Structures are given as C-alpha cells and as structure tokens.
Amino acid sequence: MEKFKSLDVLKQQAILEAALEEFAEYGYDTASTNRIVKKAGIGKGMLFYYFNSKKELFHHLVSYSFDLVVKEYFNLVDLSERDFIERFKQASKVKLKAQTENRHVFNFIGMVMLEKELELPEDLQKQFKELQRLGYALLYEGIDKSLFKQEMDVEKTFNLIRWAIEGYQNELLRKLEGQKMAAIDFDPYWQEFYEYLDILKRSFYK
Amino acid sequence: MEKFKSLDVLKQQAILEAALEEFAEYGYDTASTNRIVKKAGIGKGMLFYYFNSKKELFHHLVSYSFDLVVKEYFNLVDLSERDFIERFKQASKVKLKAQTENRHVFNFIGMVMLEKELELPEDLQKQFKELQRLGYALLYEGIDKSLFKQEMDVEKTFNLIRWAIEGYQNELLRKLEGQKMAAIDFDPYWQEFYEYLDILKRSFYK
DNA sequence: ATTCTATTGACCATAGTGGTCGAAAGGTGT
DNA sequence: ACACCTTTCGACCACTATGGTCAATAGAAT
C-alpha cells in the first residue's frame, strides 16, 4: 500500500480508474483482476505488489471513493441556503459537476450501495455511516420550514419533493446513458429541471 | 418444450421458480444451470431435456413473465377511473397483490429491464413493446386533466406525481426487503401511503 | 560491482461452466 | 414375460477463468 501511494500520480489514477470501472460494472465477485491489470496497462504482478489481495484493493477503492464524494460534493454545498428546493437545486449542480469529473467513482459507489451481502471492516463501516449522516444534513439541516403550507406534514412534504426530484434525475440519467457525460450540453436540461422545480414550489410553498 | 409443458404443473412451477430466482439474482451470464437444477430438485439432464439450452430457458422465462404481468397486474386495473392519483392508488393495490404472489417473476423482470447488452429475439421484442404500451396506458389513458390547477403544465405534473409515488414505493420496498412479503401486515403502510396521496392531491389539484 | 526495488507474464491449483450421454428406471401394451 | 418408448439421473467432458505466486529480469542507487 505504501508502495502504491509513492507511485507516479498518473499511474495511480490509471489503476484506480480501471479498478473502479471494473467493480462498478461487475460487482465484487464477478470483477476480474485480469481485466483490471489489462485496462490499467500494468503487469498482473504489480496489482498484488501494491495491494496484497483483491479484497484489499476493493477496500481501498471504497475508502477513496467515500473521501472523494465528501470532498468534491458534500463539502461544496452551501448549507446556509435555507430554502429546501433551492438547496436541492444547488446540490444538484454541484453533484452533476462532481459526477461528470468522476464518473467511475460515482458508478462504483452506486454498486457498493446495491451489493447485498457485503461486509466491510469496522473502519469503513464508520466512514459509511458518516457519509450517510452528511448526506442527510446536506438536504435537511437548517431548512426553513415556515415556507411550506401550514396544514401539511412537513417531513412528508420533504420526502415527496425529494422523490420527485430524484425521479427526474434518474430518468434523465437513463435517457443520457451511453453518451459521454462531458460532451453533453446540459443547458436545456437545466432549463427543464427549473420548470419542474417551479411547479414544485408553486404547489408546496405558501 | 412440449416435454416441459406436458409436465406435472407443480414440477413445472418448481423449475420456473428456481430459474426465475437464479436469473433475477445473478443476471443472465452469471446465472448457473447447476444451481437451478439443485434448487428445482431435478437432475441436470432434465433441464436440457425440457429446454435445449440456457438461452432457450431464459427466453421462455421472459415470455412467461411478460404474460403473467399482463394477466395478473395490467388487466386488473380499472381504466374507467379518471382521477390520476386514484388510478395510481388502485394500480398500486393490484400490483402489490400480484407482487406478493409472484415475487420471483417481478424480480426477474426488474433484472431484465436493467441488463445492459441483452438482445431478445424478434417476437420477445414485440412482446416487450406491447408491455411498455400497456404500462403507459395503465397510468395515462383517459385521465381527467381538468382536475389539475390550470396554470401548471399537466404532463410535467403527471411526472412529478409519478416520481413521488414511485419514490415512496421504492423506499418502502428497500425498507422491507429480506422479510417475507406474505407475512407483512401492510395496513399501516397503506395508511401512510394514503396520507402521502392526500398531500399530493391537496397540492396539485384545484 | 553490488544491492535494492520495480516490473513482468508464464504458471499454478482450483473451481466452475454449459452441455452430453450411457445407463437405469418406469410405464404401457401384448 | 417381453419389447418398446419415455423419463430421469448424475458422472463426465472440454474448456474457460479465477486469484494469486514467483523466478527472472531491468533499473536505480550506492
């Protein structure tokens, strides 16, 4: 592991990307170390010289991805915005940027979330809980509840708005999948997104 | 194939269930015919006696599942209900019943939808298109648009409501996963679900 | 020249794949 | 009793791929 970290950064990157992509596509069990080294352009031996086993590599990727998401996504959202929908809009922008620049990391994390029986060591479990905590705070902390219509259950309203927005984003992602994220002009989609947000505001806010 | 169809119905069922479960869990490539025969309690030879290959078995499952979903779900929804949310509520009830009684089929179809590169023969493609058409009609056909606030884009409003409801259902499924569907008392969840629907109505309807 | 590190890919035992096939068992009619 | 056909089994096949090792190098540093 120290071997790996004292490596040329570009080579590190190439190996990480290759491994993230492989695990994201195949899941832990079916992922192949042979394919990883081929994609990364290194000899088979090196992978086990840097990391001692497939599992160790995987754990490193998990830790690395969690850190990256916090640094490149969670920490960049402005928590002083107290309007729920505006907060969500802002978070979406930051997230899209991070996602475009780190496709494999986000896909990898998606896979980690879905994988059924997959026990992580204590420290990664802790990192995971922290990630969940931050993700929650990102959306719900410091929100001004007085913006909503009095008679509604605020928590339920939060959820409905969240599901609606996530639904839009998932559908968009599905529609755009296969295309190079970096090559897409997102402006018309942002436009459309704002129209959806507008409807939500007019429906749920006072 | 005629061999299979002229088989004791219970045995047929056992084989179908075993195969559906295996494919749903592992996807086409990673699914193992060895595990299937073990689960189904038959000898290896029989599987290839009934169906000639893994692919033929898979195609049969696809066709079987599509038919079942139409018969046990789509066809049971009352299309004369013109209130969008009421229609959705009704469809949810029917779907939950079908899903409880055919867990493996629904999981299998979910897997088929997700599988990336997976080309089906012409006839199954056609069946699939038909399924999509019916699924769309199920939600959108004959809906009374005058119930919604005039100033909103109705199609966008439909989508928001759909995403919100699907979001709730997915979250609920995730929360309940692992439990025996048949053993769950759904009443409190229906209660909660209705409260969500109520908020939606009060927010989006005139 | 020597020592230490980085790098390779052929190689290993192992496990699992989809599919086959000879043999046995069961059933039916004569 | 026999013959004939259908059903059932699981050992077996050739093959592919796995995670991991290691002897042999090449390069750097001293």
Side-chain angles (χ1 to χ4, degrees), chain B residues 39-89:
Chain B
K39 256 184 269 194
I42 61 174
K44 179 85 174 282
M46 292 318 285
L47 193 67
F48 292 87
Y49 180 62
Y50 300 138
F51 310 92
N52 298 307
S53 68
K54 186 184 183 182
K55 184 159 279 161
E56 200 172 306
L57 165 63
F58 183 74
H59 288 161
H60 179 72
L61 293 176
V62 172
S63 180
Y64 169 82
S65 299
F66 284 177
D67 282 345
L68 187 140
V69 165
V70 171
K71 259 180 241 154
E72 304 288 319
Y73 174 21
F74 289 0
N75 282 351
L76 303 185
V77 174
D78 173 18
L79 294 185
S80 72
E81 172 60 69
R82 303 194 64 212
D83 180 321
F84 185 62
I85 292 179
E86 286 302 317
R87 173 86 70 85
F88 218 128
K89 183 200 281 189

Side-chain angles (χ1 to χ4, degrees), chain A residues 3 43-46 49-50:
Chain A
K3 302 285 172 50
K44 179 85 173 283
M46 292 318 286
Y49 180 61
Y50 300 139

Side-chain angles (χ1 to χ4, degrees), chain B residues 173-188:
Chain B
L173 275 191
R174 254 200 24 231
K175 199 158 65 184
L176 297 181
E177 97 178 355
Q179 296 178 51
K180 272 254 163 247
M181 282 271 260
I184 299 171
D185 173 20
F186 277 104
D187 285 357

Side-chain angles (χ1 to χ4, degrees), chain A residues 42-59:
Chain A
I42 61 173
K44 179 85 173 283
M46 292 318 286
L47 192 66
F48 292 86
Y49 180 61
Y50 300 139
F51 311 92
N52 298 306
S53 69
K54 187 185 184 182
K55 183 159 278 163
E56 200 172 308
L57 164 63
F58 183 75
H59 288 160

Side-chain angles (χ1 to χ4, degrees), chain A residues 35-201:
Chain A
R35 279 192 299 257
I36 291 174
V37 295
K38 199 168 294 176
K39 256 183 268 192
I42 61 173
K44 179 85 173 283
M46 292 318 286
L47 192 66
F48 292 86
Y49 180 61
Y50 300 139
F51 311 92
N52 298 306
S53 69
K54 187 185 184 182
K55 183 159 278 163
E56 200 172 308
L57 164 63
F58 183 75
H59 288 160
H60 178 72
L61 291 176
V62 172
S63 181
Y64 168 81
S65 299
F66 284 177
D67 282 344
L68 186 140
V69 165
V70 171
K71 261 180 236 150
E72 304 289 318
Y73 173 22
F74 289 180
N75 282 351
L76 302 184
V77 175
D78 173 17
L79 294 185
S80 73
E81 171 61 67
R82 303 195 63 212
D83 180 321
F84 185 62
I85 293 180
E86 287 301 317
R87 171 86 69 86
F88 218 128
K89 182 199 282 188
Q90 218 234 108
S92 300
K93 281 186 192 166
V94 176
K95 185 181 180 186
L96 181 65
K97 185 164 186 294
Q99 208 159 3
T100 308
E101 292 164 356
N102 307 277
R103 221 180 88 231
H104 298 315
V105 171
F106 279 77
N107 290 343
F108 176 79
I109 288 198
M111 169 260 133
V112 170
M113 300 301 218
L114 289 185
E115 199 92 339
K116 301 307 195 209
E117 63 256 316
L118 162 58
E119 64 250 25
L120 297 170
E122 193 95 25
D123 53 330
L124 289 182
Q125 296 260 15
K126 222 156 110 184
Q127 230 182 322
F128 181 65
K129 295 265 189 230
E130 178 64 5
L131 197 76
Q132 285 183 310
R133 205 187 56 74
L134 286 171
Y136 180 87
L138 191 75
L139 284 188
Y140 297 109
E141 202 163 284
I143 293 301
D144 179 5
K145 296 181 180 176
S146 72
L147 289 172
F148 295 88
K149 287 173 185 152
Q150 225 68 56
E151 74 268 23
M152 309 284 194
D153 179 328
V154 178
E155 201 183 327
K156 283 195 172 57
T157 306
F158 279 4
N159 286 333
L160 287 172
I161 295 175
R162 197 187 86 231
W163 290 325
I165 295 180
E166 289 172 350
Y168 170 73
Q169 293 174 342
N170 290 338
E171 200 141 308
L172 185 58
L173 274 190
R174 255 202 22 233
K175 200 158 64 184
L176 297 181
E177 101 178 352
Q179 297 178 49
K180 271 254 161 250
M181 282 272 261
I184 299 171
D185 173 19
F186 277 104
D187 285 356
Y189 296 117
W190 282 119
Q191 177 76 23
E192 188 185 45
F193 184 50
Y194 294 159
E195 287 167 22
Y196 276 114
L197 294 185
D198 192 51
I199 296 179
L200 288 175
K201 273 195 186 181

